[in-house]
Amino acid sequence: ERLFNRSWALSQISMAPIRFRSANYLAWTGDVNGALEILETMPENLRVNYVFYTSRAATRGQRGDIAAAIADYEQARSLANKSEIKTSGPRMTHVQATYRTAQLEARQGHTARASELYREALAAARQYANDFPDLIEAAGNRALIHARCGEKSEALAAIDEATRIATRTRDATQIAAVRRSKAEVLTALGQTDAAIAELRAVH
């Protein structure tokens, strides 16, 4: 908390100190309202980046403000699509924001809209994989989308692909991230015991 406050005091040109302070506060206290209040201190001139909206959307979703979270994810999708930088970051933000919006629409009972968004996210993830074949995120997100759609074999094949890519990197952080994603996939498929085993293996 002290370091994030100091970072913001030294240079108020990046949203990172406020975002990370909010995430740190939530992990530290479990206080979703407090974490959201920290995010809301973000100056307006720094709210032009899609990263702010995905952060606020996730926090609002945890608080149960589904409509507000959907609005933030839609804003993030719009900003990511308009970005002149067509690198992996904005492209993956579009995939993830579309997927998370689909999840929230499903929670609202809007099954047709959720299905439409899942398919859009899946198409975007496949295109991302073609353009960035050595990056793990696309396969992991494809696995989650397939799992949410009840497509078990496709979900497991995609997470196995993500595991192979992560293993080639020999990066422990990447491998652990994929195992956490696999746990989420297994949970979505109703395989709770296997998901718990994955999480225990990470820790």
Side-chain angles (χ1 to χ4, degrees):
E1 176 82 0
R2 286 194 300 271
L3 287 170
F4 289 135
N5 283 332
R6 183 183 176 200
S7 177
W8 178 248
L10 288 171
S11 177
Q12 300 182 9
I13 60 173
S14 168
M15 69 173 69
I18 293 177
R19 282 202 313 115
F20 295 150
R21 181 178 162 229
S22 174
N24 179 65
Y25 182 82
L26 181 58
W28 178 16
T29 68
D31 180 3
V32 179
N33 290 328
L36 191 56
E37 286 175 7
I38 292 171
L39 276 178
E40 293 294 4
T41 66
M42 188 79 68
E44 287 296 328
N45 66 305
L46 295 181
R47 298 188 183 200
V48 296
N49 191 302
Y50 51 82
V51 177
F52 168 76
Y53 291 98
T54 55
S55 297
R56 192 171 68 175
T59 309
R60 282 175 159 175
Q62 285 181 281
R63 193 170 72 168
D65 294 343
I66 306 303
I70 288 173
D72 272 347
Y73 277 128
E74 291 289 5
Q75 180 71 358
R77 276 160 38 87
S78 176
L79 290 171
N81 283 336
K82 290 178 181 177
S83 175
E84 295 179 1
I85 304 172
K86 300 304 179 185
T87 56
S88 61
R91 294 273 302 281
M92 182 45 59
T93 293
H94 176 258
V95 173
Q96 292 175 336
T98 303
Y99 164 66
R100 296 300 179 189
T101 306
Q103 281 187 297
L104 294 173
E105 292 285 8
R107 282 178 61 182
Q108 293 280 72
H110 305 154
T111 53
R113 176 60 175 158
S115 179
E116 176 188 340
L117 287 166
Y118 277 135
R119 295 303 164 193
E120 182 182 338
L122 189 58
R126 284 175 172 150
Q127 186 59 53
Y128 181 98
N130 288 334
D131 295 340
F132 305 99
D134 296 326
L135 298 182
I136 297 168
E137 293 86 351
N141 278 277
R142 282 205 327 275
L144 288 169
I145 296 163
H146 283 306
R148 293 294 177 185
C149 293
E151 299 166 351
K152 180 179 177 180
S153 59
E154 293 89 343
L156 295 177
I159 202 64
D160 285 346
E161 179 185 339
T163 301
R164 286 193 295 272
I165 297 171
T167 302
R168 287 200 300 269
T169 69
R170 298 184 179 181
D171 184 326
T173 302
Q174 295 265 41
I175 293 168
V178 170
R179 297 200 80 158
R180 287 193 294 272
S181 293
K182 185 173 183 179
E184 189 175 351
V185 167
L186 292 169
T187 300
L189 294 173
Q191 300 180 23
T192 309
D193 290 343
I196 291 171
E198 284 294 327
L199 292 174
R200 285 180 172 158
V202 172
H203 298 290

